[in-house]
Amino acid sequence: MSRKIRKAIFPVAGLGTRFLPATKALPKEMLPVVDKPLIQYAVEEAFAAGIEQIIFVTGRGKGALEDHFDHSYELESTLKKRGKSKTLHTVEALIPETGSIVYTRQNQPLGLGHAIWCARDVVGDEPFAVLLADDLVKAEKPVLSQMVEAFKTTQSSMVAVMEVPPQQTDRYGIVGGKREGDKLIRIDSLVEKPAPSEAPTNQAIIGRYILTPEIFDLLKRKEFGAGGEIQITDAMAHLLKTQAIYGYLFDGIRFDCGDKAGFQMANIAYALDNPTIGDEVLHYIKEVAAPHFDTV
Ligand code: G1P
């Protein structure tokens, strides 16, 4: 039987300490790339892939996320009065249909696997997606859409993967396995943040997952792994004993927006592509910044 991916989990409870002080009172997922917060890129990607229900696994101090996807009557009526219909439309368009966003809380910082487990009752017994908003991927066809398409054939759990420099394996979940065609790797090992000397490959998991619901029983065991946290990668390594899991070699450029340099690079890439400010930014890079490069 062919199953559809209808629900997506967004773990958004993290503290964002790498971006302090910016993230002291602002959720890191609200940091903007040009003019859109990271979380909105991820939510738009999910809806574009046919997701019907968004599940935020949130925490203390994350209220701005809820407000972002809700009406702001004062703002909307002011924009209307001022005749700013285009801006009004932009603000209204990002509000999902009533009831299509569900919020649950991760009330202890026990890791990504635990955050996903917190949404078990909202997901129920069906395959689902997980999106990590920190991983922003610029692609013609959004990554989750690429994966949902592949899932129609595999009907198996799947993670987005890309090659990373071998010395960086300790920043990622790493997979090993055999290539099946152009885009898929049939995974035979998964390990969370291995030292370069212990990594089976340099194929890293990027924050897009499709998981079958059996993962929840494995997460329930609450096994603590790398960094003393409950890791989704470890639960998937257990799942591998009973089910196939695929790596999906996506098309697109990934920016690590959980990292200051990656976040700035994302801003440059999206700014250059922006019809309103692209030329101005390009001019700055070429005429002002670049001539300075040799002197720094
Ligand atoms: C998480 C996952 C890791 C994955 C990474 C992708 O790590 O645990 O397997 O490779 O996201 O961004 P984190 O970056 O939250 O430490």
PDB file of all heavy atoms in Angstrom, residues 18 112 132 134-135 171-174 192-193 204-207 209 231-233 254 256, ligand 1:
ATOM      1  N   ARG A  18      24.797  29.598  19.810  1.00  0.00           N
ATOM      2  CA  ARG A  18      25.867  30.046  18.911  1.00  0.00           C
ATOM      3  C   ARG A  18      25.619  31.457  18.369  1.00  0.00           C
ATOM      4  O   ARG A  18      26.508  32.085  17.821  1.00  0.00           O
ATOM      5  CB  ARG A  18      26.018  29.068  17.746  1.00  0.00           C
ATOM      6  CG  ARG A  18      26.884  27.882  18.131  1.00  0.00           C
ATOM      7  CD  ARG A  18      27.346  27.132  16.929  1.00  0.00           C
ATOM      8  NE  ARG A  18      26.452  26.028  16.652  1.00  0.00           N
ATOM      9  CZ  ARG A  18      26.562  25.237  15.610  1.00  0.00           C
ATOM     10  NH1 ARG A  18      27.502  25.451  14.721  1.00  0.00           N
ATOM     11  NH2 ARG A  18      25.730  24.237  15.425  1.00  0.00           N
ATOM     12  N   LEU A 112      17.757  15.712  19.763  1.00  0.00           N
ATOM     13  CA  LEU A 112      16.875  15.701  18.595  1.00  0.00           C
ATOM     14  C   LEU A 112      15.923  14.500  18.597  1.00  0.00           C
ATOM     15  O   LEU A 112      14.741  14.622  18.263  1.00  0.00           O
ATOM     16  CB  LEU A 112      17.744  15.712  17.323  1.00  0.00           C
ATOM     17  CG  LEU A 112      17.030  15.648  15.988  1.00  0.00           C
ATOM     18  CD1 LEU A 112      16.059  16.814  15.821  1.00  0.00           C
ATOM     19  CD2 LEU A 112      18.051  15.655  14.840  1.00  0.00           C
ATOM     20  N   LEU A 132      14.798  20.319   9.807  1.00  0.00           N
ATOM     21  CA  LEU A 132      15.596  21.153  10.713  1.00  0.00           C
ATOM     22  C   LEU A 132      15.821  22.487   9.999  1.00  0.00           C
ATOM     23  O   LEU A 132      16.475  22.542   8.947  1.00  0.00           O
ATOM     24  CB  LEU A 132      16.938  20.486  11.028  1.00  0.00           C
ATOM     25  CG  LEU A 132      16.871  19.030  11.550  1.00  0.00           C
ATOM     26  CD1 LEU A 132      18.273  18.547  11.944  1.00  0.00           C
ATOM     27  CD2 LEU A 132      15.915  18.902  12.729  1.00  0.00           C
ATOM     28  N   ASP A 134      17.580  24.967  10.571  1.00  0.00           N
ATOM     29  CA  ASP A 134      18.975  25.424  10.444  1.00  0.00           C
ATOM     30  C   ASP A 134      19.583  25.075   9.092  1.00  0.00           C
ATOM     31  O   ASP A 134      20.500  25.740   8.631  1.00  0.00           O
ATOM     32  CB  ASP A 134      19.848  24.651  11.458  1.00  0.00           C
ATOM     33  CG  ASP A 134      19.757  25.242  12.834  1.00  0.00           C
ATOM     34  OD1 ASP A 134      19.038  26.225  13.001  1.00  0.00           O
ATOM     35  OD2 ASP A 134      20.422  24.690  13.741  1.00  0.00           O
ATOM     36  N   ASP A 135      19.139  23.971   8.536  1.00  0.00           N
ATOM     37  CA  ASP A 135      19.668  23.553   7.239  1.00  0.00           C
ATOM     38  C   ASP A 135      18.796  24.158   6.147  1.00  0.00           C
ATOM     39  O   ASP A 135      17.672  23.710   5.906  1.00  0.00           O
ATOM     40  CB  ASP A 135      19.666  22.017   7.120  1.00  0.00           C
ATOM     41  CG  ASP A 135      20.820  21.375   7.853  1.00  0.00           C
ATOM     42  OD1 ASP A 135      21.912  21.970   7.875  1.00  0.00           O
ATOM     43  OD2 ASP A 135      20.637  20.281   8.405  1.00  0.00           O
ATOM     44  N   ARG A 171      30.702  16.625  12.976  1.00  0.00           N
ATOM     45  CA  ARG A 171      29.613  17.609  13.111  1.00  0.00           C
ATOM     46  C   ARG A 171      28.265  17.033  12.673  1.00  0.00           C
ATOM     47  O   ARG A 171      27.239  17.723  12.747  1.00  0.00           O
ATOM     48  CB  ARG A 171      29.883  18.819  12.208  1.00  0.00           C
ATOM     49  CG  ARG A 171      31.136  19.560  12.519  1.00  0.00           C
ATOM     50  CD  ARG A 171      31.178  20.792  11.640  1.00  0.00           C
ATOM     51  NE  ARG A 171      32.498  21.381  11.642  1.00  0.00           N
ATOM     52  CZ  ARG A 171      32.844  22.410  10.891  1.00  0.00           C
ATOM     53  NH1 ARG A 171      31.957  22.964  10.062  1.00  0.00           N
ATOM     54  NH2 ARG A 171      34.057  22.903  10.948  1.00  0.00           N
ATOM     55  N   TYR A 172      28.293  15.813  12.129  1.00  0.00           N
ATOM     56  CA  TYR A 172      27.092  15.293  11.462  1.00  0.00           C
ATOM     57  C   TYR A 172      26.793  13.849  11.833  1.00  0.00           C
ATOM     58  O   TYR A 172      27.668  13.122  12.302  1.00  0.00           O
ATOM     59  CB  TYR A 172      27.300  15.302   9.934  1.00  0.00           C
ATOM     60  CG  TYR A 172      27.546  16.652   9.346  1.00  0.00           C
ATOM     61  CD1 TYR A 172      28.843  17.116   9.148  1.00  0.00           C
ATOM     62  CD2 TYR A 172      26.479  17.470   8.974  1.00  0.00           C
ATOM     63  CE1 TYR A 172      29.081  18.371   8.589  1.00  0.00           C
ATOM     64  CE2 TYR A 172      26.706  18.720   8.415  1.00  0.00           C
ATOM     65  CZ  TYR A 172      28.019  19.159   8.227  1.00  0.00           C
ATOM     66  OH  TYR A 172      28.233  20.393   7.681  1.00  0.00           O
ATOM     67  N   GLY A 173      25.554  13.424  11.499  1.00  0.00           N
ATOM     68  CA  GLY A 173      25.270  12.006  11.410  1.00  0.00           C
ATOM     69  C   GLY A 173      25.868  11.539  10.093  1.00  0.00           C
ATOM     70  O   GLY A 173      25.742  12.213   9.072  1.00  0.00           O
ATOM     71  N   ILE A 174      26.557  10.403  10.120  1.00  0.00           N
ATOM     72  CA  ILE A 174      27.248   9.916   8.913  1.00  0.00           C
ATOM     73  C   ILE A 174      26.652   8.566   8.524  1.00  0.00           C
ATOM     74  O   ILE A 174      26.349   7.738   9.392  1.00  0.00           O
ATOM     75  CB  ILE A 174      28.765   9.775   9.182  1.00  0.00           C
ATOM     76  CG1 ILE A 174      29.379  11.152   9.542  1.00  0.00           C
ATOM     77  CG2 ILE A 174      29.504   9.122   8.011  1.00  0.00           C
ATOM     78  CD1 ILE A 174      29.442  12.165   8.413  1.00  0.00           C
ATOM     79  N   GLU A 192      26.364   8.791  14.712  1.00  0.00           N
ATOM     80  CA  GLU A 192      26.239  10.217  15.015  1.00  0.00           C
ATOM     81  C   GLU A 192      27.586  10.817  15.386  1.00  0.00           C
ATOM     82  O   GLU A 192      28.256  10.350  16.303  1.00  0.00           O
ATOM     83  CB  GLU A 192      25.222  10.418  16.150  1.00  0.00           C
ATOM     84  CG  GLU A 192      24.990  11.865  16.555  1.00  0.00           C
ATOM     85  CD  GLU A 192      24.275  12.713  15.503  1.00  0.00           C
ATOM     86  OE1 GLU A 192      23.810  12.168  14.476  1.00  0.00           O
ATOM     87  OE2 GLU A 192      24.182  13.936  15.709  1.00  0.00           O
ATOM     88  N   LYS A 193      27.959  11.809  14.633  1.00  0.00           N
ATOM     89  CA  LYS A 193      29.163  12.625  14.887  1.00  0.00           C
ATOM     90  C   LYS A 193      30.423  11.795  15.188  1.00  0.00           C
ATOM     91  O   LYS A 193      31.063  11.963  16.249  1.00  0.00           O
ATOM     92  CB  LYS A 193      28.882  13.625  16.008  1.00  0.00           C
ATOM     93  CG  LYS A 193      27.681  14.534  15.684  1.00  0.00           C
ATOM     94  CD  LYS A 193      27.604  15.773  16.518  1.00  0.00           C
ATOM     95  CE  LYS A 193      26.528  16.713  16.016  1.00  0.00           C
ATOM     96  NZ  LYS A 193      25.204  16.525  16.528  1.00  0.00           N
ATOM     97  N   ALA A 204      27.147  12.855   4.833  1.00  0.00           N
ATOM     98  CA  ALA A 204      26.534  13.392   6.051  1.00  0.00           C
ATOM     99  C   ALA A 204      25.029  13.571   5.907  1.00  0.00           C
ATOM    100  O   ALA A 204      24.520  13.885   4.826  1.00  0.00           O
ATOM    101  CB  ALA A 204      27.170  14.732   6.378  1.00  0.00           C
ATOM    102  N   ILE A 205      24.356  13.388   7.031  1.00  0.00           N
ATOM    103  CA  ILE A 205      22.908  13.620   7.071  1.00  0.00           C
ATOM    104  C   ILE A 205      22.664  15.124   7.169  1.00  0.00           C
ATOM    105  O   ILE A 205      23.247  15.808   8.006  1.00  0.00           O
ATOM    106  CB  ILE A 205      22.279  12.926   8.307  1.00  0.00           C
ATOM    107  CG1 ILE A 205      22.520  11.416   8.249  1.00  0.00           C
ATOM    108  CG2 ILE A 205      20.799  13.262   8.418  1.00  0.00           C
ATOM    109  CD1 ILE A 205      22.050  10.660   9.497  1.00  0.00           C
ATOM    110  N   ILE A 206      21.786  15.618   6.316  1.00  0.00           N
ATOM    111  CA  ILE A 206      21.369  17.012   6.344  1.00  0.00           C
ATOM    112  C   ILE A 206      19.928  17.024   6.866  1.00  0.00           C
ATOM    113  O   ILE A 206      19.211  16.038   6.698  1.00  0.00           O
ATOM    114  CB  ILE A 206      21.495  17.596   4.906  1.00  0.00           C
ATOM    115  CG1 ILE A 206      22.957  17.558   4.451  1.00  0.00           C
ATOM    116  CG2 ILE A 206      20.934  19.007   4.812  1.00  0.00           C
ATOM    117  CD1 ILE A 206      23.958  18.141   5.433  1.00  0.00           C
ATOM    118  N   GLY A 207      19.501  18.108   7.478  1.00  0.00           N
ATOM    119  CA  GLY A 207      18.252  18.094   8.245  1.00  0.00           C
ATOM    120  C   GLY A 207      16.932  17.914   7.534  1.00  0.00           C
ATOM    121  O   GLY A 207      15.995  18.695   7.718  1.00  0.00           O
ATOM    122  N   TYR A 209      14.306  14.551   6.932  1.00  0.00           N
ATOM    123  CA  TYR A 209      14.100  13.126   7.174  1.00  0.00           C
ATOM    124  C   TYR A 209      12.690  12.744   6.756  1.00  0.00           C
ATOM    125  O   TYR A 209      11.760  13.529   6.923  1.00  0.00           O
ATOM    126  CB  TYR A 209      14.207  12.798   8.669  1.00  0.00           C
ATOM    127  CG  TYR A 209      15.491  13.205   9.366  1.00  0.00           C
ATOM    128  CD1 TYR A 209      15.749  14.540   9.673  1.00  0.00           C
ATOM    129  CD2 TYR A 209      16.426  12.250   9.755  1.00  0.00           C
ATOM    130  CE1 TYR A 209      16.917  14.910  10.340  1.00  0.00           C
ATOM    131  CE2 TYR A 209      17.597  12.616  10.434  1.00  0.00           C
ATOM    132  CZ  TYR A 209      17.835  13.952  10.712  1.00  0.00           C
ATOM    133  OH  TYR A 209      18.985  14.317  11.373  1.00  0.00           O
ATOM    134  N   GLN A 231      19.667  10.578  20.370  1.00  0.00           N
ATOM    135  CA  GLN A 231      19.926  10.930  18.972  1.00  0.00           C
ATOM    136  C   GLN A 231      18.993  10.180  18.025  1.00  0.00           C
ATOM    137  O   GLN A 231      18.831   8.958  18.143  1.00  0.00           O
ATOM    138  CB  GLN A 231      21.387  10.587  18.606  1.00  0.00           C
ATOM    139  CG  GLN A 231      22.424  11.335  19.430  1.00  0.00           C
ATOM    140  CD  GLN A 231      22.479  12.825  19.105  1.00  0.00           C
ATOM    141  OE1 GLN A 231      21.800  13.316  18.187  1.00  0.00           O
ATOM    142  NE2 GLN A 231      23.271  13.563  19.864  1.00  0.00           N
ATOM    143  N   ILE A 232      18.459  10.898  17.052  1.00  0.00           N
ATOM    144  CA  ILE A 232      17.614  10.247  16.039  1.00  0.00           C
ATOM    145  C   ILE A 232      18.469   9.282  15.203  1.00  0.00           C
ATOM    146  O   ILE A 232      18.005   8.226  14.774  1.00  0.00           O
ATOM    147  CB  ILE A 232      16.875  11.293  15.155  1.00  0.00           C
ATOM    148  CG1 ILE A 232      15.832  10.622  14.251  1.00  0.00           C
ATOM    149  CG2 ILE A 232      17.814  12.116  14.310  1.00  0.00           C
ATOM    150  CD1 ILE A 232      14.699   9.962  14.971  1.00  0.00           C
ATOM    151  N   THR A 233      19.743   9.646  15.010  1.00  0.00           N
ATOM    152  CA  THR A 233      20.636   8.777  14.218  1.00  0.00           C
ATOM    153  C   THR A 233      20.763   7.399  14.879  1.00  0.00           C
ATOM    154  O   THR A 233      20.745   6.373  14.190  1.00  0.00           O
ATOM    155  CB  THR A 233      22.031   9.427  14.097  1.00  0.00           C
ATOM    156  OG1 THR A 233      21.861  10.762  13.621  1.00  0.00           O
ATOM    157  CG2 THR A 233      22.933   8.662  13.149  1.00  0.00           C
ATOM    158  N   ARG A 254      23.343  23.574   0.113  1.00  0.00           N
ATOM    159  CA  ARG A 254      22.931  23.603   1.514  1.00  0.00           C
ATOM    160  C   ARG A 254      23.762  24.631   2.289  1.00  0.00           C
ATOM    161  O   ARG A 254      24.973  24.713   2.146  1.00  0.00           O
ATOM    162  CB  ARG A 254      23.114  22.198   2.100  1.00  0.00           C
ATOM    163  CG  ARG A 254      22.843  22.099   3.582  1.00  0.00           C
ATOM    164  CD  ARG A 254      24.122  22.046   4.360  1.00  0.00           C
ATOM    165  NE  ARG A 254      23.887  21.826   5.773  1.00  0.00           N
ATOM    166  CZ  ARG A 254      24.849  21.682   6.656  1.00  0.00           C
ATOM    167  NH1 ARG A 254      26.102  21.700   6.273  1.00  0.00           N
ATOM    168  NH2 ARG A 254      24.573  21.528   7.924  1.00  0.00           N
ATOM    169  N   ASP A 256      24.541  25.886   6.177  1.00  0.00           N
ATOM    170  CA  ASP A 256      24.410  25.552   7.599  1.00  0.00           C
ATOM    171  C   ASP A 256      24.123  26.842   8.365  1.00  0.00           C
ATOM    172  O   ASP A 256      25.040  27.545   8.783  1.00  0.00           O
ATOM    173  CB  ASP A 256      25.709  24.897   8.092  1.00  0.00           C
ATOM    174  CG  ASP A 256      25.633  24.557   9.575  1.00  0.00           C
ATOM    175  OD1 ASP A 256      24.562  24.790  10.189  1.00  0.00           O
ATOM    176  OD2 ASP A 256      26.634  24.064  10.122  1.00  0.00           O
TER     177      ASP A 256
HETATM  178  C1  G1P B   1      21.637  17.105  13.760  1.00  0.00           C
HETATM  179  C2  G1P B   1      21.689  15.585  13.639  1.00  0.00           C
HETATM  180  C3  G1P B   1      22.824  15.169  12.724  1.00  0.00           C
HETATM  181  C4  G1P B   1      22.692  15.861  11.372  1.00  0.00           C
HETATM  182  C5  G1P B   1      22.596  17.392  11.568  1.00  0.00           C
HETATM  183  C6  G1P B   1      22.280  18.081  10.252  1.00  0.00           C
HETATM  184  O1  G1P B   1      22.792  17.535  14.453  1.00  0.00           O
HETATM  185  O2  G1P B   1      21.859  15.019  14.932  1.00  0.00           O
HETATM  186  O3  G1P B   1      22.818  13.786  12.542  1.00  0.00           O
HETATM  187  O4  G1P B   1      23.786  15.544  10.550  1.00  0.00           O
HETATM  188  O5  G1P B   1      21.555  17.726  12.490  1.00  0.00           O
HETATM  189  O6  G1P B   1      22.307  19.460  10.379  1.00  0.00           O
HETATM  190  P1  G1P B   1      22.931  19.005  15.113  1.00  0.00           P
HETATM  191  O7  G1P B   1      23.359  19.913  13.998  1.00  0.00           O
HETATM  192  O8  G1P B   1      21.593  19.361  15.655  1.00  0.00           O
HETATM  193  O9  G1P B   1      23.987  18.874  16.167  1.00  0.00           O
END
